[in-house]
């Protein structure tokens, strides 16, 4: 599941405004490459929408089926806001409303493969 955590208004190529929804995935525990200690984080991405500001505001907090997945892309520079350091990345994060992982389709209290759990 992912949750709508906010929105931003942007301009398209014609200079027309549209709203982008900001999505956040489930909490994940990962290990720090610097300290070796675990920390909690969540994947984030954004998707364009056709909704006005009022609807976008009402969507904040809503949960949607799907996941945020790591997707390879052409290398690009990314600045870490906290440190000002620029790093090179070869991936991005994208929302997938239909995850391929079977576990992602199973939600508590729902049948698994048509069978009650």
């Amino acid at each position: 599941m992912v949750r709508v955590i906010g929105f931003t208004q942007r301009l398209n190529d014609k200079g027309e405004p549209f709203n982008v929804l900001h999505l956040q995935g489930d909490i994940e525990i990962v290990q720090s490459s610097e300290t070796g200690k675990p920390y909690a984080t969540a994947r984030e991405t954004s998707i364009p929408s056709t909704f006005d500001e009022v609807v976008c505001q009402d969507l904040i907090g809503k949960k949607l089926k799907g996941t945020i997945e790591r997707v390879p892309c052409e290398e690009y520079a990314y600045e870490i806001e906290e440190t000002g350091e620029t790093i090179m990345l070869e991936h991005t994060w994208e929302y997938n409303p239909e995850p391929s992982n079977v576990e992602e389709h199973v939600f508590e209290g729902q049948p698994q493969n048509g069978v009650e759990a």
Side-chain angles (χ1 to χ4, degrees), residues 62-113:
K62 180 166 178 58
K63 291 183 179 180
L64 305 172
K65 179 182 126 184
T67 59
I68 297 173
E69 300 176 351
R70 183 178 172 141
V71 177
C73 66
E74 287 190 37
E75 188 176 57
Y76 65 98
Y78 176 79
E79 183 177 332
I80 301 171
E81 291 180 28
E82 294 83 13
T83 64
E85 177 186 6
T86 299
I87 59 174
M88 299 305 290
L89 296 176
E90 293 180 341
H91 71 275
T92 188
W93 299 100
E94 289 184 3
Y95 171 63
N96 181 354
E98 298 181 16
S100 58
N101 186 339
V102 174
E103 288 88 28
E104 295 294 336
H105 292 283
V106 180
F107 302 105
E108 190 173 320
Q110 291 185 346
Q112 180 176 355
N113 297 329

Side-chain angles (χ1 to χ4, degrees), residues 1-4 21 23 47 62-67 95:
M1 296 292 277
V2 301
R3 181 185 310 267
V4 178
L21 298 175
L23 307 177
I47 59 172
K62 180 166 178 58
K63 291 183 179 180
L64 305 172
K65 179 182 126 184
T67 59
Y95 171 63

